[in-house]
């Protein structure tokens, strides 16, 4: 990994929370490998990030990926968790927030994920807003995602991204994607139509040096590949009600709702989630290849 970075080769950072907590076993390991292969197939070097025995690893090897995918005691590490987890010497999976922070520190400019964390529904009473947002506000990295997870309050998340000064660019669209759905029903101000156009935005951002935060590239699924919207809305309503009834809070909320989706749609949401991640990995690799080192 260090050699690839030194040589100025295109590198794409990948998070490990998707593997450890976002996707069910045993598919998660195969998907983790597929994501990395997709990055390679499109001209970049994959760097899955995580913590192994208290060490931050940029570029997990296959044995590390197996550990992430199999472990019951793999902690979910946001940026604030990194130091205590390192001191305790544990294994941990990094979220969007911690992966972005580590990637930027390591000199990796492009990062692919599924969907960002954001403002949860009923955040006006729970104050539940993912640390992904505040971290992206101060982290110079390009994050390719399919918007924010549709389990969240999407318009509130877009408002917070605006407040925090995070640049949001639709890929081939001015509509903000809805993760499992092609369109969240909300607009964005900017779009880019090719990896080269995204690279031009990244260059301009660096040259002007006035906005230090992330550039979010929101890459929608084609309508033909989205989850059936009626099924989506039904399963979401049911999942939110169950999470409330079972008093699920804090960092458990996201994995709980994603697991509910995968069960209640009998794997349909899982297949869509995997497609989202692979498409984002491909686009991120093409952006990394187009971007100047
Ligand atoms: N996107 C996915 N699956 C996931 C996540 C995102 O398709 O599992 C993870 C990311 O790691 C993201 C985290 O940073 O969920 C957000 O969790 P929280 O809401 O607790 O911050
Ligand atoms: Mn939260």
């Amino acid at each position: 990994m260090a050699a690839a970075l030194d040589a100025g080769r295109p590198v794409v950072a990948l998070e490990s929370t998707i593997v450890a907590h976002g996707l069910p076993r045993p598919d998660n390991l195969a998907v983790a490998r597929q994501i990395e292969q997709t990055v390679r197939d499109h001209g970049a070097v994959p760097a899955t990030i995580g913590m192994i025995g208290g060490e931050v690893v940029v570029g997990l090897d296959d044995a590390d990926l197996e550990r992430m995918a199999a472990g019951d005691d793999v902690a979910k590490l946001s940026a604030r968790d990194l130091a205590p987890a390192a001191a305790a010497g544990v294994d941990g999976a990094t979220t969007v927030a911690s992966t972005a922070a580590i990637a930027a520190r390591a000199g990796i400019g492009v990062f692919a994920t599924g969907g960002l964390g954001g403002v949860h529904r009923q955040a006006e009473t729970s104050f539940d807003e993912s640390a992904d947002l505040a971290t992206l506000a101060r982290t110079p990295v390009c994050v390719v995602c399919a918007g924010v997870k549709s389990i969240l309050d999407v318009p509130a998340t877009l408002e917070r991204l605006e407040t925090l000064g995070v640049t949001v660019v639709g890929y081939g669209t001015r509509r903000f994607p809805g993760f499992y759905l092609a369109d969240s029903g909300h607009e964005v101000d900017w779009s880019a139509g090719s990896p080269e156009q995204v690279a031009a935005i990244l260059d301009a951002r660096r040259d002007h040096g006035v906005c230090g935060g992330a550039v979010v590239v929101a890459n929608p699924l084609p309508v033909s590949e989205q989850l059936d919207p009626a099924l989506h809305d039904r399963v979401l309503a049911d999942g939110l009600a169950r999470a409330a009834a079972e008093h699920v809070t804090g960092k458990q909320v996201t994995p709980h709702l994603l697991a509910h989706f995968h069960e209640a749609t009998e794997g349909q949401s899982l297949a869509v989630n995997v497609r989202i991640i692979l498409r984002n990995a491909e686009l991120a690799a093409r952006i990394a290849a187009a971007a100047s080192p």
Side-chain angles (χ1 to χ4, degrees):
M1 186 50 52
L5 286 167
D6 281 346
R9 289 176 63 196
V11 176
V12 171
L14 300 164
E15 60 152 309
S16 43
T17 291
I18 289 183
V19 178
H21 304 288
L23 299 169
R25 285 175 236 164
D27 308 80
N28 58 347
L29 178 59
V31 175
R33 290 176 174 146
Q34 257 183 300
I35 301 169
E36 293 201 339
Q37 192 53 45
T38 301
V39 170
R40 284 187 202 101
D41 289 345
H42 293 89
V45 179
T48 306
I49 291 176
M51 182 173 282
I52 299 288
E55 299 274 344
V56 169
V57 180
V58 178
L60 295 174
D61 65 19
D62 202 65
D64 297 333
L65 280 184
E66 272 184 38
R67 229 159 121 165
M68 285 291 151
D72 272 320
D73 30 43
V74 176
K76 177 178 164 184
L77 305 178
S78 191
R80 70 172 190 157
D81 303 309
L82 290 172
V90 300
D91 287 353
T94 50
T95 65
V96 169
S98 47
T99 307
I102 294 165
R105 182 77 204 282
I108 301 173
V110 185
F111 164 30
T113 183
L116 304 181
V119 180
H120 284 257
R121 294 165 196 244
Q122 271 98 52
E124 66 273 24
T125 50
S126 69
F127 275 68
D128 189 353
E129 171 182 324
S130 176
D132 290 356
L133 300 186
T135 305
L136 292 180
R138 55 173 185 261
T139 306
V141 70
C142 172
V143 187
V144 181
C145 61
V148 302
K149 281 174 296 258
S150 48
I151 57 177
L152 301 170
D153 184 335
V154 176
T157 304
L158 284 169
E159 291 291 351
R160 288 291 293 148
L161 286 167
E162 181 183 2
T163 304
L164 291 163
V166 177
T167 300
V168 181
V169 178
Y171 190 74
T173 180
R174 289 272 302 273
R175 309 289 298 176
F176 192 62
F179 193 65
Y180 293 128
L181 305 178
D183 184 345
S184 70
H186 301 274
E187 286 224 340
V188 292
D189 292 335
W190 301 99
S191 72
S194 65
E196 290 72 25
Q197 283 179 19
V198 176
I201 292 170
L202 300 178
D203 284 348
R205 186 175 133 290
R206 186 185 53 199
D207 294 347
H208 295 180
V210 288
C211 179
V215 173
V216 171
V217 175
N219 183 29
L221 276 177
V223 173
S224 60
E225 294 188 32
Q226 72 179 357
L227 197 61
D228 170 35
L231 175 67
H232 173 273
D233 294 353
R234 203 164 61 234
V235 170
L236 177 57
D238 188 42
L240 290 168
R242 278 178 43 176
E246 292 169 26
H247 306 290
V248 180
T249 56
K251 67 209 265 183
Q252 307 308 330
V253 173
T254 298
H256 186 276
L257 284 171
L258 290 174
H260 169 76
F261 254 94
H262 298 332
E263 278 161 35
T265 66
E266 290 167 344
Q268 283 187 60
S269 73
L270 176 59
V272 173
N273 202 340
V274 171
R275 275 297 294 154
I276 288 170
I277 302 166
L278 295 179
R279 283 171 49 85
N280 294 344
E282 172 179 340
L283 179 57
R286 294 171 63 208
I287 292 169
S292 24

